[in-house]
């Protein structure tokens, strides 16, 4: 039997009622005791790193998870991380950069309903997660949820209440599970030894454009953040309201060494800022990085990882456009 390490971090799956509200309280051992079928799949040992609502998850928590996997990597055949759903996609994306090339599965899962509820999805998600963690063909960081295996860099929470909470954005599902049977379509790339990174620059900001947006909001962010992600409309571009204030802020920020990323707030198919006139001036500014088919979750994790390594513009450009765990495919530099 394979040996799997379960890492508990909290979330809905481990929650119980405290007064009139849910809060994470159960340990990984308590979760496992409610899914006895897992003991027939593998040997499991547990570590409870913390017990938080995933809304409160921070990059410091990502570092602790990475360190836990790194320190235990040679002892186990795979890893299952129980996690809240609200920020699971951000954690999965970040871990994809912090744990690169793992030939062993690093599986995140959780639930929309606590494990103590009669209608819970916790038990099947946990069983499916351990099934994947025991697989010889699943590798790297993935989310397993509602019978779907989603690459860590491509996951997004797209439903707030339904069991089918997560979708794979601009990339196929890695595999599906039905009645405990794993049907795999894609085998992610891996290497013999993973590369671990725990140095992050978390001074990254995000702004979502709305019609008539106040240019001072972008000015505020570029003054205070090392990198700013701009979620534009459609295929991308900066609006012009009779002036070029937004573009001027971007150009000025770049001249001060700030990193600007252009992406789209549209969920599927990615950006292409050169299509319309409002994007041409951005396309002509090579210092602005375009995210193309990347998710915002992946952009965030990748930027923090890159800026934790270097501030050299050429290196940032190279690393951003170097695919990691198939995070970016349809792009041009």
């Amino acid at each position: 039997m394979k040996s799997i390490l379960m890492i508990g971090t909290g979330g809905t799956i481990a929650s119980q009622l405290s007064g009139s509200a849910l809060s994470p309280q159960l340990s990984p051992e308590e979760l496992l005791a409610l899914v006895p079928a897992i003991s027939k799949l593998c040997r499991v040992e547990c570590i409870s790193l913390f017990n938080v609502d995933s809304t409160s998850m921070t990059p410091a928590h990502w570092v602790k998870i990475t360190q836990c996997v790194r320190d235990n990597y040679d002892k186990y055949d795979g890893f299952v991380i129980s996690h809240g759903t609200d920020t699971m996609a951000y954690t999965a994306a970040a871990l994809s950069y912090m744990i690169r090339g793992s030939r062993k599965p690093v599986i995140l899962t959780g639930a929309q309903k606590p494990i103590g509820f009669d209608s819970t999805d916790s038990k099947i998600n946990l069983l499916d997660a351990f099934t994947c963690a025991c697989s010889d063909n699943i590798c790297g960081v993935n989310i397993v949820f509602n019978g779907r295996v989603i690459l860590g860099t491509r996951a997004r929470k797209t439903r707030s209440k339904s069991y089918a909470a997560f979708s794979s954005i601009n990339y196929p599902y890695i595999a599906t599970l039905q009645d405990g049977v794993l049907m795999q379509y894609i085998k992610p790339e891996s290497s013999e030894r993973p590369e671990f990174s725990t140095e992050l620059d978390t001074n990254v900001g995000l702004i979502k454009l709305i019609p008539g947006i106040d240019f001072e909001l972008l000015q505020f962010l570029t003054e205070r953040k090392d990198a700013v992600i701009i979620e534009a409309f459609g295929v991308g571009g900066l609006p012009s309201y009779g002036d070029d204030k937004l573009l001027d802020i971007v150009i000025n920020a770049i001249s001060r060494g700030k990193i600007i990323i252009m992406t789209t707030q549209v969920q599927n198919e990615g950006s292409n800022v050169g299509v319309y006139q409002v994007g041409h001036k951005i396309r002509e500014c090579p210092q602005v990085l375009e995210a193309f088919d990347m998710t915002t979750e992946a952009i965030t994790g990748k930027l923090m990882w890159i800026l934790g390594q270097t501030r050299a513009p050429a290196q940032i450009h190279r690393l951003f456009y170097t695919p990691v765990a198939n995070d970016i495919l349809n792009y041009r530099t």
Side-chain angles (χ1 to χ4, degrees), residues 38 43 76 91-92 95 106 135 169 182 219 240 251 256 312 315 318:
I38 291 173
R43 292 184 299 271
Y76 299 95
T91 298
L95 293 183
V106 180
S135 170
I169 306 300
L182 176 64
Q219 180 70 48
S240 176
I251 292 172
R256 292 182 284 113
Q315 282 288 85
R318 180 185 66 80

Side-chain angles (χ1 to χ4, degrees), residues 9 49-50 52 56-66 91 95:
T9 70
L49 280 185
F50 33 83
V52 300
S56 301
M57 194 71 67
T58 69
H61 292 105
W62 303 340
V63 170
K64 290 181 180 179
I65 295 170
T66 300
T91 298
L95 293 183

Side-chain angles (χ1 to χ4, degrees), residues 88 95 192 220 259 281 312:
M88 188 187 294
L95 293 183
E192 186 60 29
F220 179 87
I259 308 303
K281 291 181 180 179

Side-chain angles (χ1 to χ4, degrees), residues 313-328:
Q315 282 288 85
I316 293 170
H317 187 280
R318 180 185 66 80
L319 288 170
F320 188 79
Y321 288 116
T322 299
V324 176
N326 290 320
D327 61 346
I328 183 169

